[in-house]
Amino acid sequence: TDISTHILDQRMRSPVYNASGVMCRETTELEAVRHSDAGALVSKSCTLEARDGNPEPRYAATPFGSINSMGLPNHGYRYYLDYAAHYDYTDKPLFISISGLSLADNLHMLDAFQRLKRPLLPEVNLSCPNVPGKPQLGYSFDDMATALTAIHAAMDIPFGVKLPPYFDISHFEMAAEIFNRFERLKFLTCINSIGNGLVVDTDSETVLIKPKNGLGGIGGDYVLPTALANVNTFYRLCPDKQIIGCGGIGAGEQVFQHILCGASAVQVGTRLWEEGAGLFTRLNQELVAIMQRKGYQCLADFRGKLCTL
Ligand SMILES: O=C(O)c1[nH]c(=O)[nH]c(=O)c1I
């Protein structure tokens, strides 16, 4: 049973890796993912300068997932540039998440990463919901088109984007029409957390996290149907791009479902935060078990083959 996959020409021994933001802010964390059974790794979204992020508590686990308003805490892009410069690319693919506070910052950082001349894979984050005063690009189609036009003009290497969840068919269509304009935009990571949810503790009658009156991005079991809808819809609307699934993965079954909906690889956030890097070993085993039960030899046997009625 072969669970390997490729993103562009880069092979992954497993289709599962971390979601940006989880187990990837420190080089020690990135190394933990690299030494795990994850098939790749992605770094914490970075900005030009280091950021402390929002006041704590800013993450909370909940009965069906998590809520977070981290506020883009990171060491600044040079820290991740240094990791990418010394990384052994023969091991597993390295994705670099970029989330500049302006288009100019994004262009500056992306240029620095492409000048490394390393096979790193930039994932431009269009969907951070937690920086007060910074509306996310993914929900402003004109601004997103402008940014991607400039990024595509500046990038000689292939890149991807981290997308927010969309909920309206016309939004899927408008977003896909924009993405399909850009040939070197090669992968779409769907989805980021569902922005600005609110989780309340009944006993204390209090929110769980400090920033933004308790509002934060929702992840975990709550978001699986939305994640699958975004994966499958962009899989159908953007046939020249690969889809990386993210959202609601806690067991091999959801890995299977994301791939059935069209994902070439999948990322795990909430469940990784709660369980640790041993998660990848478990998910790989559970995926193999499902494939064996169904008689599938490789991921291509079922990728994108979701049946409709
Ligand atoms: O608050 C964060 O740091 C954060 N949190 C998220 O749930 N998604 C994001 O893209 C980011 I940049």
Side-chain angles (χ1 to χ4, degrees):
T1 306
D2 174 9
I3 62 169
S4 70
T5 187
H6 287 79
I7 296 297
L8 295 170
D9 58 349
Q10 300 200 39
R11 186 171 180 276
M12 294 170 59
R13 292 189 293 276
S14 158
V16 189
Y17 62 116
N18 68 301
S20 179
V22 183
M23 203 177 287
C24 60
R25 183 176 160 198
E26 312 299 328
T27 49
T28 49
E29 294 178 304
L30 289 162
E31 286 294 284
V33 178
R34 188 169 71 83
H35 287 121
S36 76
D37 284 334
L41 51 152
V42 57
S43 59
K44 169 64 185 176
S45 290
C46 61
T47 45
L48 214 56
E49 304 303 333
R51 287 173 56 90
D52 292 334
N54 290 338
E56 296 179 329
R58 57 195 189 183
Y59 172 93
T62 69
F64 298 102
S66 67
I67 184 166
N68 93 84
S69 186
M70 308 303 287
L72 199 40
N74 75 97
H75 289 288
Y77 82 100
R78 294 174 188 83
Y79 180 91
Y80 307 99
L81 193 68
D82 181 66
Y83 184 79
H86 298 98
Y87 185 78
D88 170 11
Y89 292 88
T90 65
D91 184 6
K92 47 185 77 166
L94 172 64
F95 293 77
I96 298 289
S97 177
I98 308 280
S99 190
L101 299 178
S102 69
L103 175 55
D105 285 3
N106 273 325
L107 293 171
H108 182 86
M109 292 188 284
L110 285 164
D111 191 52
F113 279 100
Q114 75 175 345
R115 290 157 75 96
L116 284 181
K117 303 263 187 254
R118 297 287 196 289
L120 58 90
L121 293 160
E123 181 185 82
V124 181
N125 187 354
L126 304 178
S127 47
C128 179
N130 298 325
V131 178
K134 290 295 297 174
Q136 53 165 295
L137 273 176
Y139 286 159
S140 168
F141 293 111
D142 289 344
D143 293 343
M144 184 165 72
T146 300
L148 288 176
T149 301
I151 289 168
H152 190 252
M155 292 294 281
D156 307 321
I157 61 173
F159 66 98
V161 288
K162 178 71 171 285
L163 297 175
Y166 296 101
F167 301 93
D168 186 279
I169 301 303
S170 70
H171 293 168
F172 282 122
E173 291 168 347
M174 285 191 281
E177 189 279 324
I178 293 169
F179 303 144
N180 288 332
R181 297 178 197 171
F182 305 109
E183 190 270 335
R184 286 184 302 291
L185 172 54
K186 293 289 191 187
F187 63 91
L188 311 174
T189 305
C190 302
I191 61 174
N192 209 313
S193 55
I194 297 181
N196 295 303
L198 180 59
V199 181
V200 171
D201 179 87
T202 305
D203 296 341
S204 65
E205 304 176 12
T206 311
V207 301
L208 298 189
I209 58 173
K210 184 163 187 172
K212 297 170 56 177
N213 296 319
L215 298 188
I218 301 297
D221 296 351
Y222 302 110
V223 311
L224 180 65
T226 296
L228 294 178
N230 279 258
V231 165
N232 193 237
T233 303
F234 283 113
Y235 178 73
R236 293 172 190 279
L237 294 178
C238 301
D240 300 334
K241 304 190 188 301
Q242 289 186 284
I243 310 299
I244 297 174
C246 184
I249 294 175
E253 181 176 6
Q254 293 87 37
V255 177
F256 179 85
Q257 291 187 355
H258 267 269
I259 296 168
L260 186 69
C261 288
S264 292
V266 300
Q267 301 176 347
V268 186
T270 298
R271 197 70 228 126
L272 176 61
W273 186 305
E274 295 304 312
E275 188 167 324
L279 166 85
F280 297 116
T281 309
R282 177 171 70 84
L283 293 184
N284 290 341
Q285 290 168 343
E286 291 173 356
L287 176 62
V288 165
I290 293 169
M291 290 172 67
Q292 287 176 337
R293 196 164 64 237
K294 289 168 167 284
Y296 293 131
Q297 265 75 39
C298 65
L299 302 187
D301 283 350
F302 63 96
R303 177 177 295 114
K305 299 193 174 172
L306 175 67
C307 301
T308 54
L309 294 175

